[in-house]
């Protein structure tokens, strides 16, 4: 963040990077830092840095306050989406992606409709990854609207291979743990959301289980502890057309013997964990 005080230095660094690589170079920045927080100073920063060849800016639409911790810096400085939209108008030759406080696909769609070239959804993507199952519905692109079961099946096909080949060259338990992290929020907003998150977290802290089982075995083991799992796994996002092959919501779960709840159960909206 302090580099915002020195636009010429940022431009010099970017020029060196551009000369050293063959891929596009982008810059992620905030609207300002501390007292350097006017739109005119933001404009100067973008103008100076873009002059060396940077064409894409990812802008977190609030300023940074030095000395304020990371968590508070994500909420205390006010959001100013209108400043990023002004940059789009003032620099039509550049591309701008907006970041900060965007929690729904509808908000992302509306911002793009106003002229932004992209939207970054950060922490929300981790907290509620199934949010993106509705992308085709919200943006009108069509295509399949998956169930959580389909998402898990496709993800595990990747994860099993990633674990086998150790894509990130990590310790075995670290690799298994990193592959479980994207699944923590998969059941957010459902009747098993909080319990699923706790179950997966417990597995992530069990080194012996991480070392002794494949990632798909760990995931199916967690699912087996919930009698309600089948119903939630086969539920499609609100507004999605149902397929003839969709399992009924009153599906029978083949649960782990210690699973809570009855074997035949529904997951009515009234009982959902909204976390």
């Amino acid at each position: 963040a302090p580099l915002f005080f020195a636009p010429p230095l940022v431009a010099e660094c970017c020029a060196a990077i551009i000369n050293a690589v063959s891929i596009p170079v982008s810059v992620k920045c905030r609207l300002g830092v501390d007292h350097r927080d006017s739109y005119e100073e933001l404009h100067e920063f973008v103008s100076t840095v873009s002059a060396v060849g940077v064409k894409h800016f990812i802008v977190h639409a609030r300023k940074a306050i030095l000395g304020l911790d990371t968590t508070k810096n994500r909420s205390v400085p006010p959001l100013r989406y209108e400043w990023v939209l002004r940059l789009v108008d003032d620099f039509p030759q550049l591309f701008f992606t907006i970041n900060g406080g965007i929690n729904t696909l509808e908000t992302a769609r509306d911002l793009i409709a106003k002229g932004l070239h992209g939207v970054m959804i950060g922490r929300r993507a981790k907290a509620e990854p199934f949010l993106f199952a509705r992308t085709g519905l919200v943006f009108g692109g069509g295509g399949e609207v998956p169930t959580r079961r389909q998402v898990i099946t496709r993800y595990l096909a990747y994860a099993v291979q990633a674990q086998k080949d150790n894509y990130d060259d990590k310790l075995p338990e670290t690799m298994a743990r990193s592959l479980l992290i994207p699944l923590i929020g998969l059941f957010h907003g459902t009747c098993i959301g909080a319990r699923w998150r706790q179950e997966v977290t417990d597995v992530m802290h069990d080194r012996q289980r991480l070392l002794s089982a494949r990632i798909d075995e760990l995931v199916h083991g967690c699912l087996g502890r919930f009698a309600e799992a089948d119903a939630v796994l086969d539920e499609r996002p609100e507004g999605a057309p149902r397929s003839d092959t969709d399992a009924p919501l009153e599906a029978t779960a083949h649960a782990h013997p210690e699973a809570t709840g009855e074997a035949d159960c529904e997951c009515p909206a009234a009982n959902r964990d909204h976390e």
Side-chain angles (χ1 to χ4, degrees):
L3 284 172
F4 198 86
F5 289 117
L9 176 59
V10 176
E12 182 180 347
C13 292
C14 289
I17 296 170
I18 290 170
N19 288 332
V21 301
S22 58
I23 58 175
V25 174
S26 61
V27 168
K28 189 172 189 293
C29 64
R30 291 212 174 198
L31 300 182
V33 179
D34 287 350
H35 60 276
R36 187 177 173 83
D37 60 355
S38 68
Y39 178 77
E40 290 70 27
E41 288 164 319
L42 173 63
H43 188 285
E44 176 197 352
F45 178 87
V46 172
S47 178
T48 301
V49 176
S50 65
V52 300
V54 175
K55 301 296 184 184
H56 185 192
F57 290 81
I58 301 97
V59 185
H60 188 151
R62 60 174 109 235
K63 78 172 191 177
I65 300 176
L66 299 180
L68 197 64
D69 66 53
T70 302
T71 300
K72 291 182 179 177
N73 251 313
R74 294 183 184 134
S75 58
V76 173
L79 288 163
R80 292 195 171 104
Y81 293 163
E82 68 276 10
W83 282 21
V84 189
L85 291 169
R86 284 182 66 183
L87 290 175
V88 173
D89 290 336
D90 290 347
F91 297 93
Q93 75 280 17
L94 303 179
F95 297 91
F96 293 95
T97 293
I98 195 167
N99 170 234
I102 301 162
N103 294 321
T104 70
L105 295 180
E106 287 78 7
T107 300
R109 176 196 60 199
D110 294 346
L111 286 167
I112 290 174
K114 292 178 179 178
L116 285 159
H117 304 95
V119 173
M120 178 182 288
I121 299 179
R123 286 170 293 147
R124 196 68 202 164
K126 179 182 178 182
E128 190 182 355
F130 198 59
L131 167 80
F132 297 98
R134 297 177 57 248
T135 301
L137 293 174
V138 174
F139 286 88
E144 181 186 17
V145 180
T147 64
R148 288 180 177 84
R149 188 186 301 278
Q150 291 171 320
V151 170
I152 287 180
T153 298
R154 294 171 187 173
Y155 179 72
L156 289 181
Y158 158 81
V160 168
Q161 192 64 46
Q163 185 182 40
K164 178 183 177 181
D165 294 343
N166 195 9
Y167 284 177
D168 290 340
D169 195 25
K170 296 178 178 178
L171 294 172
E173 65 269 30
T174 305
M175 186 67 196
R177 191 176 293 116
S178 67
L179 290 168
L180 287 170
I181 289 174
L183 297 175
I184 291 175
L186 184 61
F187 293 92
H188 175 89
T190 74
C191 56
I192 67 171
R195 289 176 291 148
W196 165 264
R197 185 172 62 241
Q198 185 60 56
E199 184 70 26
V200 175
T201 301
D202 289 346
V203 171
M204 290 172 59
H205 287 95
D206 188 334
R207 184 172 183 270
Q208 188 56 43
R209 291 173 72 181
L210 294 175
L211 289 172
S212 62
R214 295 197 315 265
I215 186 70
D216 56 333
E217 295 171 338
L218 294 173
V219 172
H220 288 302
C222 291
L223 286 171
R225 299 189 67 84
F226 303 103
E228 308 96 321
D230 276 354
V232 182
L233 281 168
D234 293 315
E235 187 178 28
R236 291 188 185 273
E238 182 180 354
R242 285 183 58 78
S243 167
D244 292 338
T245 60
D246 283 355
L249 293 186
E250 296 81 10
T252 299
H254 303 288
H256 187 282
E258 298 179 9
T260 47
E262 300 297 328
D264 296 318
C265 71
E266 297 181 52
C267 190
N271 293 333
R272 294 190 178 182
D273 165 26
H274 292 288
E275 304 175 26

